Amino acid sequence: VIDLLSMQEITWNQETLGTEYSCRPIDESRMHLAAEWRQKMIDSISHFSDEVTELYLDGKEIPLDLLKKVIRELTIARHFTPVLVGSSLKNIGVQPLLSGVVDFLPSPVEVPPIKGILVKTEETVDVPVDPSAPALALVFKIQADREAGYLSFIRVYSGIIKKNSAVLNIDKKKKERITRLLRMHANRYEQLDSVGAGDIAVAIGFKFSQTGDTIGNENHQVILERMHFPEPVISVAIEPQTLAERDKLKATLDLLKMEDPTFLVKDDEETGQLVISGMGELHLDVLVTRIIDDFKIVAHVGKPQVTYRESITKTVVHTEKYHRVLAGKENTAEITLRVAPLERGSGNRFSSEVTKDDLPRELIDAVERGVTGGFSSGVMYGYPLYDVEAVLVSAVYDQLHSTAIAFEAAGSLGLDAACRKASPILLEPVMHVDVMTPKDFVGEVMSHLTSRNCTISSLERRSAVDHIRALAPLAEMFGYSTALRSMTQGRGTFAMEFSHFRKKEGGL
């Protein structure tokens, strides 16, 4: 690697996996190229610094400390993005990268305070980097350790957190105890008694906390960051080879679910299969590889399946009557529900126009349980309902025979019957696709995307590659990475993330 600031060559010893490196003057054969790119770098910096410009025009040597200082200021002001090269596979370039973090990136006190949300009022407040302020920290990663259990990586934004202390998980409203605090150094660690504002550490002892949760104290409840995790849209069935492996597989899946909030696991009641869901083919490939290679579980994995949703297109009012004799006791309920479609992405909603004066609160809650449970089962194919509003319009209450069981059942059956009348439709997941391809192949790549029912949103021409943005049905994108590689001689890359659900034309 050639360092354009110090004008030295850095060479890594591959026998020690990149832990040993040496610096030496740039070889004469590469000096011309290095001088050309250093001049380009200084030219870019001089646009923002008069001091560098004067030294450059006078033909004087620009001190290394001055260059680092200006680059740091421009990076913090977001005018500059320092680029360092290396290879994580062979540990090449790690040491200069860490030095670059120290030299160019801001410390916690050099950036504006992070914005938090007061739980009681939903008001936005500043969270200062102040050790004397109430403690607030963000869990940004969970990692399982065979001996210590869950390692919760936290960044402390304010206050001080001590070991053997109790803290509150503000998102989940649950108390947690920190039994140990560690500072991690790759494959070794040091024990800590406390961590303060600006520190990153590992807390051991958390049972409920997940990635994105805020840790603090009861007297000052502020959520640091409301993380939005997209819905998993692709699923595969996974089955252990033997029954003995099933418990081990379930324990492993629970562990991976704690680490990754975008990974879901469920038991399919109809088939008895374990179904895992994630954000895309690659996401599930990585997880399955970890299950088989890292956790040594022998399992069969099915083909990827798209996770569809169901919705409705009309507003319908339906009255549901329920009457059953259970254990010699009559259970009756009569409710009227109004179901209506909501705007895409709104989610499901239940509300009641019936007040607790007309129907006891516990029976309104029972209807809500029945309706919200019904949202997950669908009406045509059994996929979850999506963007549906259900309103309890009226209810008939009999003091002798009305029970919570009856009203919960009426809520579930009433939602199903009402949605069947409301012209149900099937929704398919649509993905944002970003494709980077060399100019020579852009025409072929675009026509191939169109053949997969994708809608091209934009084409951006860049110096080395073209950037295509498109919207694509997930069902059409299986195996796209292989097709793109063969079209572009292995030089094309793509990224994909969930965008929205839309009506699927035709059935399954």
Side-chain angles (χ1 to χ4, degrees), residues 40-261:
K40 287 181 181 179
M41 179 188 71
I42 291 171
D43 189 42
S44 297
I45 295 170
S46 65
H47 289 306
F48 298 94
S49 169
D50 293 339
E51 198 175 349
V52 171
T53 305
E54 284 174 23
L55 290 169
Y56 180 57
L57 292 174
D58 291 345
K60 294 178 181 175
E61 185 64 33
I62 301 169
L64 180 60
D65 289 346
L66 175 62
L67 283 174
K68 285 185 176 180
K69 174 175 163 285
V70 174
I71 292 172
R72 179 184 178 83
E73 289 169 357
L74 294 172
T75 303
I76 293 173
R78 299 192 180 187
H79 294 308
F80 250 35
T81 304
V83 177
L84 294 99
V85 295
S87 165
S88 57
L89 181 66
K90 305 265 179 91
N91 288 331
I92 295 169
V94 174
Q95 296 89 346
L97 176 66
L98 293 173
S99 298
V101 169
V102 174
D103 289 340
F104 307 131
L105 296 185
S107 81
V109 295
E110 290 176 290
V111 290
I114 190 173
K115 301 289 181 187
I117 300 161
L118 268 174
V119 172
K120 286 184 181 175
T121 61
E122 291 289 315
E123 183 186 343
T124 302
V125 293
D126 285 341
V127 178
V129 184
D130 182 0
S132 62
L136 277 174
L138 185 74
V139 179
F140 65 87
K141 178 182 175 180
I142 302 283
Q143 188 176 315
D145 184 88
R146 290 183 188 279
E147 295 171 14
Y150 290 122
L151 305 180
S152 301
F153 287 74
I154 61 171
R155 174 175 171 183
V156 186
Y157 280 89
S158 73
I160 292 173
I161 291 177
K162 297 178 180 177
K163 78 171 182 181
N164 296 323
S165 63
V167 291
L168 178 73
N169 183 320
I170 297 169
D171 290 85
K172 292 191 169 60
K173 301 282 187 284
K174 289 183 182 286
K175 284 197 173 178
E176 299 270 37
R177 177 161 284 280
I178 298 173
T179 55
R180 292 163 71 198
L181 280 171
L182 310 175
R183 176 166 286 129
M184 302 301 286
H185 301 275
N187 57 355
R188 65 182 179 84
Y189 60 83
E190 62 178 286
Q191 301 267 6
L192 298 172
D193 291 324
S194 65
V195 284
D199 283 340
I200 287 175
V202 165
I204 295 177
F206 290 170
K207 292 180 180 174
F208 309 105
S209 300
Q210 282 184 286
T211 304
D213 286 353
T214 300
I215 304 301
N217 63 47
E218 265 180 289
N219 302 325
H220 185 68
Q221 294 190 27
V222 174
I223 291 175
L224 286 171
E225 197 171 339
R226 281 219 167 101
M227 288 201 176
H228 170 67
F229 298 112
E231 292 202 41
V233 288
I234 187 168
S235 305
V236 296
I238 184 165
E239 291 182 349
Q241 197 169 41
T242 63
L243 282 173
E245 291 265 283
R246 189 174 176 87
D247 291 341
K248 189 179 171 187
L249 175 62
K250 278 199 166 184
T252 301
L253 293 175
D254 287 342
L255 188 150
L256 292 172
K257 199 165 63 171
M258 279 294 289
E259 290 184 10
D260 183 355

Side-chain angles (χ1 to χ4, degrees), residues 438-459:
K439 290 182 172 23
D440 302 346
F441 309 106
V442 70
E444 191 180 349
V445 170
M446 287 178 75
S447 81
H448 183 258
L449 283 169
T450 308
S451 73
R452 286 181 177 243
N453 294 328
C454 303
T455 307
I456 308 293
S457 307
S458 67
L459 171 62

Side-chain angles (χ1 to χ4, degrees), residues 6 190 329 343 445 463:
S6 63
E190 62 178 286
K329 185 186 174 189
E343 192 180 335
V445 170
S463 55

